[in-house]
Amino acid sequence: QFYGKQTPVHLFWHTFDLALTRFSGKKAPEIAGMDAVSKEAYSHEVISFGMWFGDDHIPEPAFYSYTYPEPKTLTQKKLLPEQAYWDKINSGNVAILKYHDLMGENHPREKLLEFFNSAYQAGYESASWNL
């Protein structure tokens, strides 16, 4: 369903995330004070998806997605499956599906795809990506 530039699956070594990022092709507004790596990473609009093993805020493995820059209506969009939710993390909202909730499903692979698709749809509709 997506035709455009995206990364291969990659590892963020500092948080040990496995992620994939899609780009709209449009420049993102520059944020003052961003370090050089972040400035390059967020120079264009992105929707990113991934999995990480948790942190102080969510102390368990979880799947996630975020849209940058974050559209104002992003969190008004419904996420699937039912256990998925929007969470305020750092300076933005992130779609979250906890690993243990996914493993409680009869068809976890399909539910994970449902989660990523719903988060992607929320991002591209809210950001008015031309796809």
Side-chain angles (χ1 to χ4, degrees):
Q1 295 175 344
F2 177 75
Y3 182 77
K5 184 179 176 184
Q6 71 180 26
T7 66
V9 174
H10 52 281
L11 175 70
F12 285 108
W13 59 269
H14 62 289
T15 54
F16 215 67
D17 297 23
L18 283 175
L20 176 134
T21 302
R22 291 179 172 175
F23 301 87
S24 73
K26 295 184 275 185
K27 286 275 205 187
E30 192 173 307
I31 296 178
M34 241 186 206
D35 63 77
V37 173
S38 297
K39 187 182 268 190
E40 177 60 29
Y42 296 107
S43 64
H44 289 75
E45 294 178 343
V46 302
I47 300 174
S48 198
F49 315 86
M51 184 273 179
W52 94 110
F53 294 98
D55 57 17
D56 291 340
H57 183 74
I58 300 176
E60 60 187 292
F63 298 93
Y64 67 86
S65 177
Y66 63 86
T67 300
Y68 178 83
E70 184 178 315
K72 291 179 183 176
T73 60
L74 180 67
T75 60
Q76 296 170 13
K77 302 290 186 181
K78 181 172 175 46
L79 295 170
L80 298 171
E82 184 179 308
Q83 300 90 333
Y85 62 96
W86 294 105
D87 198 346
K88 185 79 166 172
I89 298 178
N90 298 323
S91 61
N93 289 288
V94 178
I96 298 290
L97 177 61
K98 293 180 180 176
Y99 180 80
H100 81 267
D101 289 336
L102 183 63
M103 290 301 101
E105 293 286 342
N106 288 331
H107 303 283
R109 182 179 187 279
E110 287 83 5
K111 292 297 181 179
L112 179 58
L113 289 173
E114 184 178 61
F115 169 69
F116 285 143
N117 282 328
S118 70
Y120 177 63
Q121 184 174 353
Y124 80 72
E125 286 179 358
S126 298
S128 300
W129 282 21
N130 184 17
L131 302 177

